Amino acid sequence: MPDSARQKPYSEISARLKLLAHPERLQILDTVRRSSQCVCHLEVLLDKPQPYVSQQLRVLREGGLICDEKDGLNTYYCVCDLGVRAWLDTILGPVPAERSRPLAGCSCPKCTAQELPIEWVLAASF
Amino acid sequence: MPDSARQKPYSEISARLKLLAHPERLQILDTVRRSSQCVCHLEVLLDKPQPYVSQQLRVLREGGLICDEKDGLNTYYCVCDLGVRAWLDTILGPVPAERSRPLAGCSCPKCTAQELPIEWVLAASF
DNA sequence: ACAATATATGCAGAATTCTGCATACCTATA
DNA sequence: TATAGGTATGCAGAATTCTGCATATATTGT
């Protein structure tokens, strides 16, 4: 039996589900699956203190659900794993086609730029 | 916007995920999605005391993940909701085609019958 | 080197969930 | 109605998770 066909133990699967079973973490995932976002963006979106947001991001990062990419002072998070995307598609529904917009109150380059950076436009239409 | 297209709040979705994020409950769901099973069957399978199994079944039942059907002394549980089945297909993989078998140690009619009851055969090939 | 901005980490009290157990309930049969 | 088998319920101590906050680190510009 090939390893890909063998089901993971229930304890492993439920450990991953536990990371999803949390309203704020779920909203973070729903946001960063649309396009990568920085911590201050999520901070405004969730209306939670920055350490709180960073903490939940760490849980998701160490659980392998999101990846981080640093750019200067900012750290952008995104959903890189295709299997995770599939789970989110089932649980939250497919990613809507609409492009994400600058968020008032977020001071990151993405949200304050006059011209949209090309890689952001590409990411939004993922 | 039709109600079916509007996404449920993250708190509701995560509440449902919490029910799944538990190894024993996950195994119960994986078992009863293949064919309906009674409490004593799950008791043998999980190797847990009966009150423990009944308790987890109650959590799943009150969460709307499983349905119960009484037949004499026995209560059979199954996954009736199609949306729940879809979640389980994504999380656990599709239901294998193989038929479920009598379980040594379970004393319910299904597991002790010489001839397989027709409705069980039908349920197994769901 | 210093200051400012963005993010990360550590920790403790609070809140929640888990699970073992005693016992109650419900149905069928003698 | 008495008994037995199968299942359900209630509860409490244990274990885990949650979250607010103080503070640490890291990068950039002056």
Side-chain angles (χ1 to χ4, degrees), chain B residues 11-12 15 24 27 33 40 45 47 53 92 103 108 113 120:
Chain B
S11 56
E12 268 186 46
E24 281 73 31
Q27 185 172 6
R33 74 174 175 150
C40 60
L45 207 60
D47 191 29
V53 175
L92 298 170
L103 183 62
C108 80
W120 182 29

Side-chain angles (χ1 to χ4, degrees), chain B residues 113-126:
Chain B
Q114 300 300 322
E115 306 289 329
L116 297 180
I118 182 62
E119 73 277 7
W120 182 29
V121 175
L122 290 173
S125 62
F126 193 100

Side-chain angles (χ1 to χ4, degrees), chain A residues 4-36:
Chain A
S4 59
R6 195 183 301 123
Q7 185 179 289
K8 283 189 182 177
Y10 298 113
S11 56
E12 270 185 46
I13 301 176
S14 71
R16 171 154 282 199
L17 281 167
K18 249 172 217 164
L19 304 183
L20 296 175
H22 182 288
E24 280 74 30
R25 288 201 291 266
L26 207 50
Q27 185 172 7
I28 288 174
L29 287 167
D30 193 21
T31 302
V32 303
R33 75 176 175 147
R34 299 168 191 226
S35 71
S36 67

Side-chain angles (χ1 to χ4, degrees), chain A residues 7 10 14 21 23 30 90 92, chain B residues 7 10 14 18 23 30 90 92:
Chain A
Q7 185 179 289
Y10 298 113
S14 71
D30 193 21
T90 300
L92 297 171
Chain B
Q7 184 179 290
Y10 298 112
S14 72
K18 250 172 215 162
D30 194 22
T90 298
L92 298 170

